[in-house]
Amino acid sequence: MKNFLSALGLSLLIVLNANAQSAAQCARALDEAEQAFEQGRLLYILDKTANRKFYDCLENGNYSIDEEIRARKLLVKTYLFSDNEEEAERELIGLLITDKEHPLTPEDPAELYFLYSKFQTEPIIRLSGKLGGNKTYITQIQEFNTGGTKQYNPAFGNGLNLWAEILAERHLGKGFEIAAGPQFRFARYDVEGNVNGEGLPYEVGNISSMLRLPVLARYNFWYDAKTDENERKKLVPYVFAGASFDLVLNARYEDTSRSGGTPVTLADESSSLSDLDQVAKHNWSIFGGAGIRLRVGRAQVNFLALELRYDNTLFNYINPDTRWDNQEVFIEVGHLEDDLTINTLSLSFGYTHSLYLPRKRKQFR
């Protein structure tokens, strides 16, 4: 066993030493190629036989990410100054695949700036996912009751519910974006009431699962702003607004009971509002909010986000034609649904991933 471990350790040491030597040789080959460019020896750089180590390291993936960026940018400039624009374009695509939205510097030649302007360097689309919790608030359109009192209390019971969404986003330029995608949300509201004012208090929890289809417009502040070190600012605040088409997948009562007189507790499975068609199957809502994004990753083209938003339903959540149909809740508990809209205040955390397809802009094809 000791001999096996010793042999394994020796083999690992040999491999690590070989990799270190190879990395050092690749770094030296890159330095020599860059020195040749400064000296104007363009033909030497393009000679794959004379400069074999440089090309082997590039083609075999032996360079680090930063070294590969230097190598590909060197080839772009070399082909440009050798009047081989076709190869320069091919190497620029390789550079943009390696380093998304590669930033040019004041030291870069004007020819490179002109070539760079011919290519689509922005993401073709962004995919974002969010997970959050929402607090539900009710706006009463018209009140109906059984002669007693009723109040909506978002702090009662399980007032905090989860929601999740996936959006496809498109950056239009200058910090403006549009986005759309599916969202799944739980929305709950709680009611405390008293039947006929006779000391017959009751509690009702109404919970809905919804599939929502939001569309929004977003503006990012300081989207292209840079620091004194010519790097993009990592924090990007934003505001947004939009509208959503909402489908109610299921609605039911939870924690429904009356404690006065003869106590009554309804079984949750027998308290479906959807089965009795007591809620609107679809609705519309508008929303708005603000958040802040943090650029992440080496290229800083992906984001983490913290977002606060408010959603406001536009039309009645309750179906007024079937309001009286749930006799079990109406007679035994004493609760009757009002005309109302469901509004939510939510906080979410998300991640946005940018997808790229470097290619020439249409006007240059």
Side-chain angles (χ1 to χ4, degrees), residues 86-189:
E86 183 177 347
E87 287 297 319
E89 290 177 354
R90 185 177 68 84
E91 290 298 336
L92 180 59
I93 290 175
L95 172 62
L96 292 173
I97 291 174
T98 304
D99 189 28
K100 311 295 190 298
E101 300 185 38
H102 176 76
L104 298 182
T105 67
E107 291 75 27
D108 288 322
E111 293 86 348
L112 180 55
Y113 271 89
F114 181 69
L115 179 66
Y116 194 86
S117 68
K118 292 182 178 182
F119 279 78
Q120 181 80 35
T121 58
E122 304 84 5
I124 55 171
I125 198 171
R126 288 193 171 108
L127 296 178
S128 72
K130 292 189 181 72
L131 179 65
N134 56 260
K135 196 77 170 178
T136 305
Y137 299 89
I138 296 301
T139 298
Q140 291 173 271
I141 302 173
Q142 185 175 356
E143 185 177 359
F144 294 83
N145 58 48
T146 56
T149 60
K150 182 193 305 178
Q151 70 176 22
Y152 294 87
N153 184 5
F156 168 73
N158 181 19
L160 185 65
N161 300 287
L162 294 178
W163 64 276
E165 73 176 5
I166 297 176
L167 296 180
E169 305 177 359
R170 176 72 175 178
H171 185 242
L172 303 179
K174 297 184 179 180
F176 287 96
E177 292 175 321
I178 55 173
Q183 179 190 108
F184 184 80
R185 183 187 292 264
F186 287 104
R188 170 172 176 147
Y189 63 86

Side-chain angles (χ1 to χ4, degrees), residues 158-308:
N158 181 19
L160 185 65
N161 300 287
L162 294 178
W163 64 276
E165 73 176 5
I166 297 176
L167 296 180
E169 305 177 359
R170 176 72 175 178
H171 185 242
L172 303 179
K174 297 184 179 180
F176 287 96
E177 292 175 321
I178 55 173
Q183 179 190 108
F184 184 80
R185 183 187 292 264
F186 287 104
R188 170 172 176 147
Y189 63 86
D190 297 307
V191 184
E192 292 179 315
N194 200 305
V195 181
N196 295 324
E198 297 178 355
L200 301 176
Y202 68 84
E203 299 173 347
V204 171
N206 181 312
I207 186 168
S208 299
S209 57
M210 300 180 182
L211 176 63
R212 311 178 72 225
L213 302 174
V215 177
L216 64 88
R218 180 190 298 123
Y219 177 70
N220 299 276
F221 297 93
W222 314 319
Y223 182 83
D224 294 314
K226 295 184 177 181
T227 65
D228 294 338
E229 292 77 21
N230 202 37
E231 296 180 351
R232 282 181 165 180
K233 288 187 175 181
K234 290 189 175 183
L235 292 178
V236 182
Y238 63 89
V239 294
F240 64 95
S244 174
F245 178 70
D246 306 334
L247 295 170
V248 178
L249 303 178
N250 188 38
R252 69 182 190 278
Y253 287 120
E254 280 192 348
D255 308 322
T256 305
S257 63
R258 177 173 53 78
S259 57
T262 303
V264 175
T265 299
L266 296 186
D268 292 340
E269 59 269 17
S270 66
S271 304
S272 173
L273 284 82
S274 298
D275 291 346
L276 295 174
D277 198 26
Q278 284 195 285
V279 294
K281 289 184 170 64
H282 54 79
N283 214 317
W284 289 89
S285 59
I286 56 175
F287 59 87
I292 188 164
R293 283 171 156 179
L294 172 66
R295 293 184 181 274
V296 295
R298 192 198 57 78
Q300 296 188 10
V301 296
N302 301 320
F303 302 89
L304 294 176
L306 185 66
E307 183 177 286
L308 184 69

Side-chain angles (χ1 to χ4, degrees), residues 70-89:
R70 287 167 53 194
R72 294 196 180 279
K73 190 170 184 178
L74 174 64
L75 287 177
V76 174
K77 293 188 291 185
T78 300
Y79 281 119
L80 274 177
F81 291 134
S82 300
D83 295 326
N84 191 340
E85 187 170 333
E86 183 177 347
E87 287 297 319
E89 290 177 354

